[in-house]
Amino acid sequence: MDDLFADAPVPVHGIRTGIGGWTYPEWRDNFYPKGLVQKRELEYASRRLTAIEINGTFYGAQKPATYAKWGSETPPGFVFSLKAPRHIVGARALAGTAKQIAGFVEGGIAELGDHLGPLLWQFAPQRRFDAEDVEAFLDLLPDAVDGLSLRHVVEVRHPSFQSEAWLRLARARGVATVFTDSGDYPSFADITGDFVYARLMASRETSATGYPGLQLDAWAKRALQWAAGAAPSDLPYAGSRDAAPVTPRDTFVFFISAAKERNPAAAMALQQRLQAAA
């Protein structure tokens, strides 16, 4: 069994591919080999992918020892993205969440060390763009914790954020905007931070790799363009596609939701295409 944990992939041109969580029951005897004990699932997943988005932090506080354990079970170079707590992003007034933000950021995430990736702040579909409130919120997001630099990405789910006002604000604060491949939420690929964060949400149960091969080819091409600093011409934009400077960027591509049982295969298939291109 231990030969299953020998090799770990490395990001291609700073591109990381991953999934949300690692304890989904349908991944057992599917993504995970038959007979793999549950306590080793993270160890296995982190040696097949290069990033995992943690959803549990959205629903409840984690202990510092838990973050330390997660980090210890993953190989060098692997990173976790952490979804910020729902009581923060769901607050009526974002500007009044300073104490809650500090509680989350200073609550042990630094125990991940080099495994700490972006912090994802996912707004509810009902939250409209309120420039004053959102600006105050972005100003509360810390740049570092315990000597570790922090990177922030916001997922907006109301069409009112598809505006030049949001793009200017996000760029001024250096905050990335999630690109969401979804028909349910605003989907725009404007680059607003120094990294790119995509959440692909259209996996299909009928495809063994979640996304059909030609679509994965297209996503590999887009990921390589993002990593090189370009803005793919075949994606939608809220503003000017050429507004962001052309500079290499770390790129995160997560397969999330939809036919969730297919997402590990989708992430690995995309990773294989990136490796072949490299």
Side-chain angles (χ1 to χ4, degrees), residues 174-186:
V175 171
T177 303
V178 170
F179 172 76
T180 302
D181 182 32
S182 169
D184 297 328
Y185 307 116

Side-chain angles (χ1 to χ4, degrees), residues 179-201:
F179 172 76
T180 302
D181 182 32
S182 169
D184 297 328
Y185 307 116
S187 183
F188 55 104
D190 302 77
I191 297 172
T192 59
D194 63 0
F195 66 100
V196 174
Y197 198 104
R199 303 180 83 236
L200 307 187
M201 306 174 69

Side-chain angles (χ1 to χ4, degrees), residues 16-23 27 42 45 49-59 70 78-84 115 117-122 153 155 157 178-180 197-201 252-257 260:
R16 297 179 180 279
T17 61
I19 54 178
W22 62 87
T23 59
W27 291 342
L42 174 57
L49 309 164
T50 50
I52 284 179
E53 183 183 282
I54 297 179
N55 199 43
T57 49
F58 180 78
Y59 294 104
W70 289 341
F78 182 88
V79 302
F80 294 97
S81 170
L82 305 181
K83 188 182 286 189
H115 297 289
L119 303 185
L120 169 62
W121 307 84
Q122 184 186 79
V153 55
E155 181 173 359
R157 292 190 160 190
V178 170
F179 172 76
T180 302
Y197 198 104
R199 303 180 83 236
L200 307 187
M201 306 174 69
F252 297 82
V253 182
F254 291 98
F255 291 85
I256 301 289
S257 190
K260 192 171 180 178

Side-chain angles (χ1 to χ4, degrees), residues 34-115:
K34 187 175 182 63
L36 181 70
V37 294
Q38 187 173 342
K39 68 180 181 180
R40 299 196 75 180
E41 288 177 349
L42 174 57
E43 188 180 353
Y44 179 88
S46 63
R47 285 158 177 82
R48 296 299 181 277
L49 309 164
T50 50
I52 284 179
E53 183 183 282
I54 297 179
N55 199 43
T57 49
F58 180 78
Y59 294 104
Q62 308 295 320
K63 296 179 180 179
T66 300
Y67 290 115
K69 181 176 182 293
W70 289 341
S72 70
E73 294 177 356
T74 56
F78 182 88
V79 302
F80 294 97
S81 170
L82 305 181
K83 188 182 286 189
R86 57 182 173 178
H87 68 269
I88 300 176
V89 291
R92 178 171 296 182
L94 292 171
T97 58
K99 183 178 179 180
Q100 291 86 349
I101 291 173
F104 169 54
V105 171
E106 298 171 10
I109 67 173
E111 294 296 324
L112 287 171
D114 293 341
H115 297 289

Side-chain angles (χ1 to χ4, degrees), residues 11-12 55 61 63 99 125 146 174 184 193-194 208 233 242 262 274:
V12 176
N55 199 43
K63 296 179 180 179
K99 183 178 179 180
D146 293 352
D184 297 328
D194 63 0
S233 61
D242 301 322
R262 300 297 190 189
L274 295 171

